[in-house]
Structure formats: structure tokens, C-alpha cells
Amino acid sequence: AQKVTQAQTEISVVEKEDVTLDCVYETRDTTYYLFWYKQPPSGELVFLIRRNSFDEQNEISGRYSWNFQKSTSSFNFTITASQVVDSAVYFCALIEGNDSNYQLIWGAGTKLIIKP
Amino acid sequence: DTGVSQDPRHKITKRGQNVTFRCDPISEHNRLYWYRQTLGQGPEFLTYFQNEAQLEKSRLLSDRFSAERPKGSFSTLEIQRTEQGDSAMYLCASSLIATIPNEQFFGPGTRLTVL
């Protein structure tokens, strides 16, 4: 069955430290799509990235980077030089390719606390 | 503001009352999703519409839950005979249909408290 696991419930680091949020997924499909969303204290989920299963190239966007490894079914997210504004709950999610509903399957989220 | 909007932002009701929430998606988006989120969890899919058609509703939590999108624009989610267990954040999202899943844009949510 499809599943997304974010084993880290909460992470706390001091500002300027690098931090990696882990995401492990399970799916039987060979085609699938992985997402990361950010939910700041205001509550509104904000899209960060989409990655499809055929594209294993890692991506960097400013201080954010994503490491997609099919061999370990992981899609980890790293924030470099963290800032207080990065404090939020981060969710990893999956859509299976054979699902025409495009239903997002969500992990439980990792609460990231950046201390000044 | 061209984002997804939801109304009300907060709703407090007594057990047994009916409540209705509204979602206005991004205007050109043809897909609209409803989710429920409880504390410490990821969003839980409830139902979705493609234009005015409700294509998936088997995940609605019970027959007390219903949703409509009569003209393919805004949508409403109604909960009848509310129970304390219905207390949660109800999220709406919209997206453009494509051959691969596009990002879903989320609204700010409606927080329901059932006393």
C-alpha cells in the first residue's frame, strides 16, 4: 500500500545551522510524484517542490535542496543556513501515477523550530 | 487577492448543529479538493470536484458530510449533526487539471470547534 513516512516528529536547531528533513515513501507504481509543502504557524500550506519518479536529479533552490534516491525510496529536504522564518511544519506527500484523482498521500509532518 | 479563500476562518458550534463552509478556488482552476487536518497530522483527503462533477466522495467521513460545487466555481462543505470528533481544520485546495499532477494551492482553512 502507498505510504509516506516522516520519522522526525520535531527538529530544533539554532539559526544558521543546516538541517535535513527525512521522507521515506512506499508505492508499487513505477510512475509517481513526490511533493514537499510548508505549513507556517499561519496555517496555510505552501507548495515547495514536485518531483516525478523519472527525474532523479537533485534540485537546489536558494537555501533549499532536495535529494531524491529511488534506491532507498527517499526524498529528503535540506535547508542550508537555516533562518527563524523557516520555522514551520513540513510535509512530504505522494501521488501515484495510476491515480486519476491525483490524491495526495501525506506524511505526518516534521515540525521544524529554528531558534535565534 | 487571487489565491484560494475560505469562509469562515473559525467556527464554533454546539454538538448537533449543522455547519457549512465555503471555498472559493483560484478562478481558472477546474479541480477543487477538500481535506481535514487534525493536530499533529497531515491533511486527510475528503472529496474533490472536477468542474461541477464530484468525482470522488467515498472518503467523506460519514453520511453527515456532503459537498457541492454547483456551478463549477465555489464549493461548500456541510457537516450535519456535528459531533465533538468533527473538531478539526478543514482545508480547501484547487489546481489545474493536466496530464501530470500540478501543485495544489491551499486556502487558509476553516477551524471548526464543536462544543
Side-chain angles (χ1 to χ4, degrees), chain A residues 37 39 50 100-103, chain B residues 31 37 48 59 98-99 101:
Chain A
Y37 279 84
Q39 190 171 40
R50 179 191 66 201
S100 60
N101 293 330
Y102 291 169
Q103 179 181 333
Chain B
R31 281 208 174 180
Q37 187 179 23
Y48 88 97
R59 305 294 293 274
T99 53

Side-chain angles (χ1 to χ4, degrees), chain A residues 2-3 25-35 50-56 68 70 73 93-103 105, chain B residues 98-101:
Chain A
Q2 66 276 22
K3 188 179 174 182
Y25 60 91
E26 294 177 36
T27 177
R28 293 179 197 167
D29 273 9
T30 55
T31 301
Y32 51 89
Y33 305 88
L34 296 164
F35 297 78
R50 179 191 66 201
R51 172 67 72 217
N52 75 49
S53 54
F54 297 112
D55 182 2
E56 287 195 74
F68 176 33
K70 289 177 76 170
S73 297
L94 164 75
I95 293 177
E96 294 189 313
N98 67 357
D99 178 8
S100 60
N101 293 330
Y102 291 169
Q103 179 181 333
I105 299 156
Chain B
T99 53
I100 64 171

